[in-house]
Amino acid sequence: MLTVLSIVLMVVDARFDALKPLRAQLGLLVAPLYTAAEMPVRAWQSVTELATSRAQLIAENERLRAEALLTQRKLQKLATLTEQNVRLRELLNSSSLVDERVLVAELIGVDPNPFTQRILLDKGEVDGVFLGQPVLDATGLMGQVVEVLPHSARVLLITDASHSLPVQINRNGLRAIAAGTGRNEWLELRFVGDTADVREGDIVVSSGLGQRFPAGYPVGRVQSVIRHPAQSFAEVRVTPSAQLNRSRYLLLVFSPESGYGDVLPALELRADDAAGAAADEPQSTEVPASDAESEGSGNAD
């Protein structure tokens, strides 16, 4: 009986318009049921889209941060090149100075010892990190690698009391040794004559004479110059350019001056340049730990 009634209703609905008002009323009654049935599906889609969007935003943010760091690093070198190009036009190779290979690393630890200035990075031997490798942030030189582990590396900051590096005044090329004081606030310029042309505000850059740090990277700015009549050398304090207490993302530099190490980061070496780069790069040398912590004053002159 129900089957016959169903067939009759189907025929009437198909041939006549008498049941249209009834269908409309039934549609109003059933619509909330459809909405309720779709709610779990819509909720799941919303959660999935939110998670996907968040992951994409995080990845995009990391990529943009790395690109900004690389761009700021190149701007550092361009400012130095502009100043030096007047005096050393024939000696500068701007492309090689600006385009050293670099690897972005993240700071994951700080040495709690108050008598040393060391940090820990999340890149190690498997990434091509090597002893003596220069490290910098977006504003200047930070230090150099003194210990390499498989997946991490320990960096000695330029402000450590045991660290020194050859530098020069960017304004006139005057050479000196920038020695750490054990404090993040300043460095000391050693062996600067009492009559030397050093002024407050002078920019101090790496000279490259120690064969460890590439030439031309910002080290700091002269904070004060105190000349003592009874002493042969002036007391010069330099404020570091690098944000030693705030920088989290740093750059490991692969430069001809410091050596490339045994392994090059794959992401920094294009496949089509691999053969040529392998032939042109200098052979890596093992750097003793004692030499990694200090560049010695003998090379400054």
Side-chain angles (χ1 to χ4, degrees):
M1 185 66 180
L2 292 175
T3 303
V4 175
L5 179 60
S6 299
I7 294 174
V8 172
L9 290 174
M10 292 172 60
V11 173
V12 172
D13 183 53
R15 296 298 183 88
F16 306 99
D17 296 333
L19 296 180
K20 281 187 177 181
L22 179 60
R23 191 188 311 122
Q25 295 299 324
L26 290 176
L28 291 176
L29 295 175
V30 176
L33 298 178
Y34 286 144
T35 303
E38 291 179 352
M39 286 182 63
V41 177
R42 291 182 178 179
W44 175 254
Q45 291 178 346
S46 299
V47 171
T48 304
E49 292 176 358
L50 181 62
T52 303
S53 300
R54 177 178 174 81
Q56 291 175 347
L57 287 174
I58 292 175
E60 183 71 10
N61 190 34
E62 294 293 334
R63 184 182 65 82
L64 292 176
R65 183 183 288 112
E67 289 181 357
L69 195 62
L70 294 172
T71 301
Q72 290 174 343
R73 165 189 165 272
K74 289 188 176 183
L75 288 176
Q76 294 177 39
K77 300 309 295 292
L78 289 174
T80 301
L81 288 174
T82 301
E83 186 72 24
Q84 290 182 343
N85 201 30
V86 177
R87 300 181 286 110
L88 306 171
R89 187 184 302 271
E90 295 181 356
L91 299 179
L92 292 178
N93 184 341
S94 60
S95 62
S96 64
L97 285 177
V98 174
D99 295 330
E100 292 104 349
R101 291 188 179 89
V102 294
L103 179 65
V104 178
E106 184 176 1
L107 187 149
I108 58 175
V110 178
D111 196 324
N113 187 347
F115 301 104
T116 187
Q117 302 280 319
R118 300 191 182 204
I119 58 176
L120 190 66
L121 303 183
D122 67 343
K123 294 294 186 291
E125 186 177 4
V126 297
D127 303 292
V129 179
F130 55 92
L131 286 176
Q133 185 169 14
V135 180
L136 59 148
D137 68 356
T139 57
L141 280 173
M142 291 277 292
Q144 60 179 300
V145 176
V146 294
E147 183 180 358
V148 181
L149 302 174
H151 298 284
S152 61
R154 200 174 303 277
V155 176
L156 185 72
L157 300 181
I158 59 174
T159 52
D160 189 272
S162 65
H163 190 277
S164 62
L165 72 151
V167 296
Q168 65 184 31
I169 304 298
N170 199 42
R171 176 173 55 85
N172 54 19
L174 180 67
R175 295 189 296 272
I177 296 294
T181 61
R183 304 180 61 178
N184 289 329
E185 291 80 7
W186 70 76
L187 304 166
E188 289 182 351
L189 287 191
R190 296 179 178 174
F191 313 118
V192 176
D194 190 58
T195 59
D197 182 15
V198 182
R199 307 172 188 171
E200 293 184 9
D202 279 346
I203 296 176
V204 179
V205 299
S206 56
S207 66
L209 296 181
Q211 299 300 312
R212 179 62 51 79
F213 292 98
Y217 279 117
V219 175
R221 187 180 294 270
V222 175
Q223 175 185 352
S224 63
V225 181
I226 302 175
R227 293 179 168 88
H228 302 282
Q231 297 182 5
S232 301
F233 299 106
E235 181 181 335
V236 183
R237 288 186 175 182
V238 175
T239 302
S241 297
Q243 299 179 358
L244 301 175
N245 285 331
R246 295 185 293 275
S247 294
R248 178 162 184 171
Y249 293 93
L250 309 177
L251 295 175
L252 292 158
V253 181
F254 295 83
S255 64
E257 291 88 347
S258 59
Y260 285 106
D262 296 328
V263 182
L264 283 174
L267 64 91
E268 297 297 333
L269 185 62
R270 299 196 305 270
D272 54 348
D273 294 338
D280 296 337
E281 290 163 2
Q283 296 295 324
S284 62
T285 57
E286 184 177 355
V287 182
S290 59
D291 292 339
E293 296 186 2
S294 175
E295 291 206 298
S297 59
N299 294 328
D301 297 325

